[in-house]
Amino acid sequence: MTSTRTLWSTTPSTNLASRSRSRSSSSTASLIVIPTPTNSSPSTSPRSLIMPASNGSVIELSETPDATKLNGTLKKKDLKHMAMARKQSSPMMPAFIVSAPGKVIAFGEHAVVHGKKAIAASIALRSYLLVTALSKSKRTISLRFPDIDLSHTWDIDELPWAIFSHPSKKKYYYDLVTSLDSDLVAAMKPHIANVSLHKSEEERKIHQNSASAFLYIFLSLGSQSFPGCLYTLRSTIPIAAGLGSSASIAVCLAGALLLQIRTLSGPHPDQPPDEARLQIERINRWAFVGEMCIHGNPSGVDNTVATQGKGVVFQRPDYGKPPNVKPLWNFPELPLLVINTNQPKSTAFEVAKVAALKKTCPAITDAILTAIDKVSEGAAELISRENFNHEEVESLEDLGKLMTMNHGLLVALGVSHPRIERVRELVDYEEIGWTKITGAGGGGCVITLLKPDVPAEKMKRLDEVLARENYSNYKTTLGCDGVGVLMPAVLKNGMSDNDGGDEIDQDKFLNADGMAGVEELVGVNGENGDREAWKFWGVED
């Protein structure tokens, strides 16, 4: 019995999976199909290769070097014959990195819970996933996330392939999965149960949710003939801060596995926008599957923003139906300061607080929520104008005024906090930008749209006060690129092609010191501006 394995080809061909199910696409990558043995597990005893010799006798070669037996005379032409008959090994995929951004809610918090519009946009704090293929004798996959002290290894051949590949359960890379299959979740449980047993219950839950997201996507898209691999995650996104860290990781995992099974063409500079968006949609669909494993019933907005980047207008007027998501492909890149109040908050508590206010004062609360909706509409219209220039103070001032209005309306709903208002006070005092809540409020993060060319001494003073008062702040970009790929995992870093580049191996990646170290080593933006080696699916209008 043989199974099939796909490799890139420059010759016209047809995708085997696409032949089995008719799908529309503006363009697809060319594939060839090569048979491979279904049982790829290593044998426990030496195997022998029987070859005819030129003198008519038989040569038996054992895989054990000192156990080679010759029943006949071995000649040069016999060696040549053997070399030609030996199965050629297929090249391993080079080590590569997939990256995806975090997100913030720029406009429309809380109103979106009540069926109004919100604008979510990407931020240039990112997750990075380094994928390294192992030698063929290694039949394991490992998920390593040193930033949260997660490391676990599975034996590929012991995973529940039978149920995931059953015709009634099998999903393909182009399928839309809107709910988790309870039978598949149950089949995974024994392989998740022993993840991080030495950790506290709270940490173990986070680790096992992450492992569940990885395994569900891996088993759905892969096969038992999948090569052994290391999947190592690093992130510059603060975790559990409402900045979409889990969605960013899910996008990285989905993108990496879709690349490994050769179902994504690109990204490349000449890729048509329609094709690029099709590729983006495939990644987004499977990232949503990962988000379901982690959160149960996610809205889908976080993974959408992390996949495509830029921004979206999100609205869910009927919770019994899927949300309406309108991409803002031309969302401008804006200078942003993300400030973590380090004040614990509960999204559920803040949402319940607004719901209670709506019962007590329905007319006034509805008026506030409607006003927030109008602010979101105004912001979407403003940034879509042809004359909007993110480098001009006038354009940023117009957007900043809308942010100030949005924040004031959220304060009226009672979801602010003294530490949030302290940030606004400090930023306003230095006159460097416009600040508002992002997310549920009650703590968590706030965002500041920065004015152009803020004097360094003002930023330094603000940084010092924030550090002294136990805030964390990150200067970043709003509306950045979505999922990107660095393949192979080599950075030129300003060198010419003849000079080669810096190979990003596992040791360098694991030893990068914190967020700053990761960004310096592999960051999309790096120390000296954009890294040309990174490629993104071009989705702008």
Side-chain angles (χ1 to χ4, degrees):
M1 291 289 294
T2 62
S3 62
T4 58
R5 174 167 49 85
T6 56
L7 298 175
W8 291 119
S9 170
T10 56
T11 58
S13 181
T14 304
N15 188 320
L16 184 64
S18 296
R19 280 207 306 262
S20 63
R21 296 187 180 188
S22 175
R23 305 293 296 177
S24 62
S25 170
S26 58
S27 173
T28 57
S30 177
L31 302 173
I32 59 175
V33 180
I34 297 178
T36 56
T38 55
N39 181 10
S40 51
S41 59
S43 174
T44 56
S45 59
R47 292 175 294 181
S48 297
L49 177 66
I50 306 299
M51 295 292 298
S54 57
N55 60 4
S57 60
V58 174
I59 303 166
E60 180 183 0
L61 298 180
S62 170
E63 285 187 341
T64 306
D66 56 0
T68 302
K69 303 177 204 176
L70 300 181
N71 179 24
T73 305
L74 189 62
K75 298 182 180 180
K76 284 186 177 180
K77 58 184 177 180
D78 295 324
L79 290 172
K80 183 177 180 181
H81 185 191
M82 291 162 57
M84 292 176 64
R86 186 181 300 121
K87 182 180 180 294
Q88 295 294 313
S89 61
S90 57
M92 289 192 301
M93 199 172 196
F96 66 97
I97 301 176
V98 180
S99 175
K103 76 92 181 62
V104 295
I105 303 296
F107 296 92
E109 294 89 345
H110 286 285
V112 71
V113 177
H114 299 273
K116 309 297 185 182
K117 289 177 284 294
I119 297 178
S122 58
I123 54 172
L125 302 175
R126 307 180 69 94
S127 296
Y128 295 91
L129 175 65
L130 174 62
V131 181
T132 306
L134 301 175
S135 64
K136 289 187 176 182
S137 62
K138 299 287 187 181
R139 299 293 301 146
T140 60
I141 52 168
S142 296
L143 178 64
R144 300 194 288 190
F145 195 174
D147 299 324
I148 61 171
D149 196 25
L150 166 61
S151 180
H152 196 81
T153 297
W154 294 269
D155 186 314
I156 293 175
D157 298 309
E158 292 180 358
L159 294 173
W161 294 109
I163 187 168
F164 271 84
S165 60
H166 190 275
S168 65
K169 303 291 185 182
K170 178 62 182 173
K171 298 296 182 183
Y172 296 89
Y173 67 91
Y174 46 73
D175 282 329
L176 175 63
V177 180
T178 57
S179 62
L180 300 179
D181 187 306
S182 59
D183 293 335
L184 301 184
V185 172
M188 283 200 316
K189 278 188 176 179
H191 305 276
I192 302 296
N194 61 347
V195 172
S196 300
L197 290 176
H198 61 291
K199 295 291 185 181
S200 68
E201 184 177 349
E202 183 179 355
E203 286 181 294
R204 186 165 62 250
K205 182 179 179 181
I206 294 172
H207 290 193
Q208 291 183 348
N209 283 345
S210 300
S212 175
F214 168 69
L215 271 191
Y216 200 102
I217 301 173
F218 178 80
L219 289 165
S220 296
L221 294 176
S223 66
Q224 194 168 352
S225 61
F226 213 84
C229 285
L230 299 177
Y231 297 88
T232 306
L233 275 159
R234 299 299 306 270
S235 180
T236 66
I237 307 171
I239 295 171
L243 300 178
S245 61
S246 66
S248 174
I249 291 168
V251 170
C252 288
L253 293 172
L257 289 165
L258 287 167
L259 283 165
Q260 285 187 286
I261 64 172
R262 317 285 182 166
T263 58
L264 297 177
S265 59
H268 56 80
D270 299 324
Q271 193 167 28
D274 287 346
E275 181 186 86
R277 291 176 190 176
L278 175 64
Q279 307 290 307
I280 285 290
E281 180 57 25
R282 287 176 182 167
I283 298 172
N284 189 31
R285 286 182 176 187
W286 284 101
F288 181 70
V289 173
E291 279 280 85
M292 286 192 290
C293 292
I294 296 171
H295 296 297
N297 185 30
S299 68
V301 66
D302 284 15
N303 51 276
T304 299
V305 173
T307 307
Q308 72 175 41
K310 304 301 181 181
V312 300
V313 177
F314 180 89
Q315 186 176 22
R316 196 167 197 173
D318 183 350
Y319 273 75
K321 298 178 181 178
N324 301 320
V325 180
K326 177 187 175 185
L328 298 172
W329 299 114
N330 291 328
F331 194 102
E333 293 192 355
L334 304 170
L336 194 74
L337 190 66
V338 177
I339 303 170
N340 192 343
T341 65
N342 293 319
Q343 173 64 39
K345 51 91 178 176
S346 166
T347 298
F349 178 80
E350 300 301 325
V351 169
K353 187 190 297 184
V354 175
L357 185 65
K358 190 175 181 180
K359 285 185 178 180
T360 306
C361 307
I364 297 173
T365 305
D366 281 339
I368 294 172
L369 295 173
T370 299
I372 293 175
D373 187 51
K374 295 298 182 182
V375 170
S376 299
E377 288 179 354
E381 190 274 331
L382 176 63
I383 61 179
S384 299
R385 292 178 187 170
E386 290 186 6
N387 62 349
F388 182 88
N389 188 337
H390 67 280
E391 295 180 348
E392 290 183 354
V393 176
E394 293 78 9
S395 291
L396 290 181
E397 279 183 347
D398 290 342
L399 193 61
K401 289 174 183 176
L402 291 174
M403 291 180 68
T404 301
M405 291 179 192
N406 196 162
H407 180 81
L409 292 166
L410 291 170
V411 172
L413 290 176
V415 297
S416 190
H417 186 276
R419 283 184 64 80
I420 291 175
E421 296 309 310
R422 175 59 172 160
V423 174
R424 290 194 68 232
E425 177 186 4
L426 293 171
V427 171
D428 289 350
Y429 179 78
E430 294 292 351
E431 298 181 329
I432 62 174
W434 303 269
T435 299
K436 69 175 288 291
I437 292 169
T438 183
C445 290
V446 295
I447 55 174
T448 295
L449 178 65
L450 293 170
K451 294 179 179 179
D453 303 320
V454 174
E457 60 270 19
K458 287 192 174 187
M459 288 301 303
K460 182 179 180 182
R461 282 198 300 267
L462 179 63
D463 289 344
E464 290 172 350
V465 176
L466 291 174
R468 192 162 57 243
E469 298 186 12
N470 192 34
Y471 292 90
S472 305
N473 65 297
Y474 313 90
K475 191 173 182 180
T476 185
T477 301
L478 182 70
C480 65
D481 286 316
V483 60
V485 180
L486 179 67
M487 184 185 293
V490 175
L491 288 170
K492 295 294 184 182
N493 291 330
M495 294 181 286
S496 67
D497 290 340
N498 295 330
D499 292 329
D502 293 336
E503 181 179 351
I504 310 302
D505 58 22
Q506 288 285 330
D507 287 340
K508 288 180 182 177
F509 196 57
L510 285 168
N511 292 326
D513 188 10
M515 294 181 181
V518 171
E519 190 62 36
E520 181 180 350
L521 177 66
V522 300
V524 168
N525 298 310
E527 278 191 316
N528 304 310
D530 292 340
R531 308 276 186 110
E532 292 183 1
W534 280 96
K535 299 293 186 293
F536 302 89
W537 280 270
V539 293
E540 292 85 353
D541 283 332

